[in-house]
Amino acid sequence: MNVLLKNSWKPGLSVLFGVVALLFWGTAYPAHLAYQEQFQLFLFDADYWWERVAVPGGFAEYIAEFLTQFYYYTWAGAAILAVVYVVLQRLVWRLAKEQGAADVYYPLSFLPMMLLWCFMEDENAMLSGTVSLLLALAVSYLCTMVKGTWKRIVYILTALPLLYWTAGAVHFIFMGWVVVREFRLFLKSRSVCEGIGLCGGIGLWGICCPLLASIWVQYPVYRLMTGIGYYRFPVPVLGMEIAIALALVVLPFVMAALPAVKQKKAWYGSLLTVGVALSGWYAVVSGYDPDKEEAMEYDQLVRNKQWQAIIGKAEKRSPTSPFGVTCLNLALGKTGQMGDRMFEFYQNGTEGLLPEFQRDFTSPLPTSEAYYHLGMINTAQRFTFEAMESIPNFNKSGRCFKRLAETNLINGQYEVAAKYLRMLAKTLFYKKWAEETMTYLYNEEKINAHKEWGWLRQIRYTEDFLFSDREVDIMLGLLYQHNHRNRMAFEYMLAYVLQKRDMESFMKYYPLGKHAGYDHIPRSYQEALVYVWTQSHKNFQGMPWSISKRVMQDVTEFAQIYMTQPDAKQLLQSRFGHTYWNYLLLKK
């Protein structure tokens, strides 16, 4: 039994670590994985392959993007990360063991993975960096198998440029590890001068690799020195990246230098395991950003048209960012609940309804979705295209390509739609959809019969005019006037003026709802109508609208508290925080 435990506790820790990583990425951070997948478009295409491998680190980036496409299914992405983490940890241990590290220090081999885990919680940290680390450690481990000084030197001098071209600047990790290892070997053989000369030559050769690459590739030298595809933005090397690199270079030798433990090995091993686990927990928690994950989850739900799931999520905790509120309002509009329930949730003005265009690659996407489902196809297309072209690492987006194919198909721009569909047909997870959609090209009857595209064709604008994002209510009014069955356009129009506190426009637009087919006056409209009425009347007699008794009772109580209570704001917030009156009078 003791022998079995002695042989299995190390693999057992690694498996446990992998399971924890799987559960974290699959349950706590799944939208993060979907976020990564949607901002790339991996193509099974020779040109795509050559485009990637033509730059230093391109091979690792190609492998990483191949794996990232499986993030389409978040549990598959979580499993990939878990396996990669475990393999990296095992390689760190192999390197430490080769230097003579005692088994009791096995838990320390998890420390670099904790740093890497924390770093990858940054939504702009790319998997290509992790794959590059895997290649660097694999090359280092293979170096330990080469026997003979001269054979080893030939291996190192050959591996450095090859590793640099395939994995990028992580070749400095291999170089640093080799320099320390070789110097220790020469120190043991008392050939210090030879060791200094050899290590200096290896270091010089490692530095020359990116300098020589600058002759063939048009990148700034600082980017060739720090890596091209490890981070979505072209920024200088980050502190966390330096910490990970130093840990991978130094830790195997530190573990080997620690004194051997002859007694109470199980106790020391358990103590180290607990210490590393607590350190890892702190690192993961410090990198966790629940607000970003919430926004990504809302965006993922919108992308998958899970409207009820969005509302259910908001009922537990109302979103407060314009990004999340935009997604929630779209879900309310799609389910016909906007007029009744909009002010049950936090609202931050028109920026949470149809935000103005921001020159980035994330915020325009939920806005584009809202415009698309409203029937403003050209505006949706513009927001989607601009978002894709703003991706900092110049990747294309599978999600954006799919939407651009749809908008062009709806508009009858079949050649443009075909261009996007042919690209999507070279992918793994969009291929089936692209091939099916190709059957709609030039087939007006089939498009018109499609549940979504046919409907959007009926409600979209049919006349050209200049779109004004300063007069969104007028744009929505024109859309509704074009087709009165587009109730969502009417609700967005009223929501827009209500959130602007423009009661004059609300009273002008409200009568248009007689064509929308309501069987009752939605709650927020009743609250707005009652408010307008009470500004010029002392009672409810003669009101021309069917206002419920509950709304009349509530507005009476609201007015009494508002006019008489010294702490009215706090009391009204607790009792009437879900009403339009609270938004109108108490929210800034």
Side-chain angles (χ1 to χ4, degrees), residues 383-450:
F383 272 62
T384 303
F385 184 81
E386 293 290 346
M388 183 174 68
E389 293 304 305
S390 299
I391 298 175
N393 58 3
F394 309 112
N395 274 355
K396 298 305 177 185
S397 163
R399 174 183 180 178
C400 292
F401 261 47
K402 186 176 177 181
R403 177 48 48 82
L404 291 170
E406 289 179 309
T407 56
N408 281 284
L409 190 70
I410 292 166
N411 282 336
Q413 302 293 329
Y414 298 123
E415 292 185 6
V416 181
K419 178 186 71 172
Y420 292 115
L421 293 173
R422 283 194 294 269
M423 296 288 282
L424 290 171
K426 297 178 182 179
T427 66
L428 182 60
F429 296 111
Y430 300 101
K431 180 179 180 180
K432 183 177 180 180
W433 180 88
E435 291 176 344
E436 170 62 23
T437 305
M438 282 183 182
T439 64
Y440 286 81
L441 295 174
Y442 304 100
N443 192 333
E444 298 286 326
E445 184 178 347
K446 190 172 183 179
I447 296 173
N448 293 333
H450 191 277

Side-chain angles (χ1 to χ4, degrees), residues 27 64 66 154 208 260 378 517 532:
T27 60
F66 172 81
V154 171
C208 285
N378 289 342
V532 172

Side-chain angles (χ1 to χ4, degrees), residues 277-552:
L278 290 175
S279 300
W281 178 83
Y282 175 78
V284 171
V285 170
S286 65
Y288 182 74
D289 191 332
D291 293 333
K292 283 186 178 179
E293 180 63 15
E294 180 187 71
M296 292 177 188
E297 185 174 350
Y298 274 116
D299 186 46
Q300 182 189 16
L301 292 172
V302 166
R303 179 186 179 185
N304 295 323
K305 304 174 185 177
Q306 296 177 272
W307 312 121
Q308 292 295 347
I310 293 173
I311 296 171
K313 180 176 174 64
E315 287 172 342
K316 297 176 182 176
R317 179 176 179 267
S318 181
T320 56
S321 67
F323 193 99
V325 176
T326 300
C327 297
L328 170 60
N329 284 331
L330 175 57
L332 292 172
K334 287 296 293 181
T335 56
Q337 302 180 57
M338 177 174 276
D340 281 309
R341 303 192 62 192
M342 177 169 53
F343 293 102
E344 289 183 19
F345 306 95
Y346 176 85
Q347 296 292 335
N348 48 13
T350 57
E351 282 303 299
L353 194 68
L354 291 171
E356 294 183 4
F357 177 77
Q358 301 292 326
R359 198 173 296 277
D360 62 55
F361 61 101
T362 54
S363 60
L365 290 178
T367 312
S368 168
E369 294 281 355
Y371 279 122
Y372 174 81
H373 289 285
L374 281 164
M376 304 169 89
I377 304 302
N378 289 342
T379 306
Q381 181 171 290
R382 176 169 64 87
F383 272 62
T384 303
F385 184 81
E386 293 290 346
M388 183 174 68
E389 293 304 305
S390 299
I391 298 175
N393 58 3
F394 309 112
N395 274 355
K396 298 305 177 185
S397 163
R399 174 183 180 178
C400 292
F401 261 47
K402 186 176 177 181
R403 177 48 48 82
L404 291 170
E406 289 179 309
T407 56
N408 281 284
L409 190 70
I410 292 166
N411 282 336
Q413 302 293 329
Y414 298 123
E415 292 185 6
V416 181
K419 178 186 71 172
Y420 292 115
L421 293 173
R422 283 194 294 269
M423 296 288 282
L424 290 171
K426 297 178 182 179
T427 66
L428 182 60
F429 296 111
Y430 300 101
K431 180 179 180 180
K432 183 177 180 180
W433 180 88
E435 291 176 344
E436 170 62 23
T437 305
M438 282 183 182
T439 64
Y440 286 81
L441 295 174
Y442 304 100
N443 192 333
E444 298 286 326
E445 184 178 347
K446 190 172 183 179
I447 296 173
N448 293 333
H450 191 277
K451 182 178 180 180
E452 181 176 292
W453 302 333
W455 165 248
L456 292 174
R457 273 197 164 187
Q458 293 178 42
I459 65 174
R460 66 188 174 124
Y461 297 117
T462 55
E463 297 179 0
D464 292 333
F465 61 89
L466 292 176
F467 180 87
S468 173
D469 56 8
R470 298 181 182 275
E471 299 175 309
V472 174
D473 55 326
I474 297 176
M475 303 297 104
L476 291 165
L478 292 173
L479 188 66
Y480 176 65
Q481 288 286 69
H482 172 70
N483 191 321
H484 287 148
R485 291 188 300 154
N486 189 357
R487 183 190 291 185
M488 187 172 161
F490 174 75
E491 293 190 337
Y492 260 78
M493 177 177 64
L494 291 195
Y496 189 85
V497 294
L498 285 176
Q499 295 199 16
K500 286 182 67 177
R501 298 177 172 86
D502 185 355
M503 303 310 296
E504 182 180 351
S505 295
F506 171 77
M507 295 304 295
K508 182 173 66 175
Y509 298 151
Y510 172 73
L512 299 175
K514 64 183 179 181
H515 304 295
Y518 286 105
D519 58 3
H520 72 287
I521 301 176
R523 168 88 188 200
S524 61
Y525 304 165
Q526 291 189 44
E527 292 170 350
L529 292 169
V530 163
Y531 172 80
V532 172
W533 180 265
T534 57
Q535 299 307 296
S536 56
H537 298 81
K538 294 182 179 181
N539 55 52
F540 302 117
Q541 293 181 1
M543 269 199 308
W545 314 290
S546 300
I547 305 299
S548 70
K549 291 183 179 179
R550 176 62 183 273
V551 171
M552 289 189 286

Side-chain angles (χ1 to χ4, degrees), residues 124-186:
N124 294 309
M126 309 301 289
L127 184 61
S128 57
T130 304
V131 172
S132 297
L133 293 177
L134 190 61
L135 292 175
L137 294 189
V139 170
S140 300
Y141 179 63
L142 289 175
C143 184
T144 65
M145 300 181 180
V146 180
K147 306 301 180 182
T149 302
W150 288 108
K151 289 182 180 179
R152 199 165 60 250
I153 292 173
V154 171
Y155 174 87
I156 293 168
L157 296 180
T158 304
L160 271 172
L162 291 176
L163 179 61
Y164 175 72
W165 198 264
T166 55
V170 295
H171 83 299
F172 284 122
I173 295 176
F174 172 62
M175 183 194 79
W177 179 83
V178 162
V179 166
V180 176
R181 182 175 185 268
E182 291 301 314
F183 187 75
R184 291 184 75 225
L185 290 175
F186 277 98

Side-chain angles (χ1 to χ4, degrees), residues 56 164-165 208-221 224:
Y164 175 72
W165 198 264
C208 285
C209 289
L211 295 178
L212 290 173
S214 67
I215 299 173
W216 292 284
V217 293
Q218 301 301 311
Y219 280 94
V221 173
L224 294 173

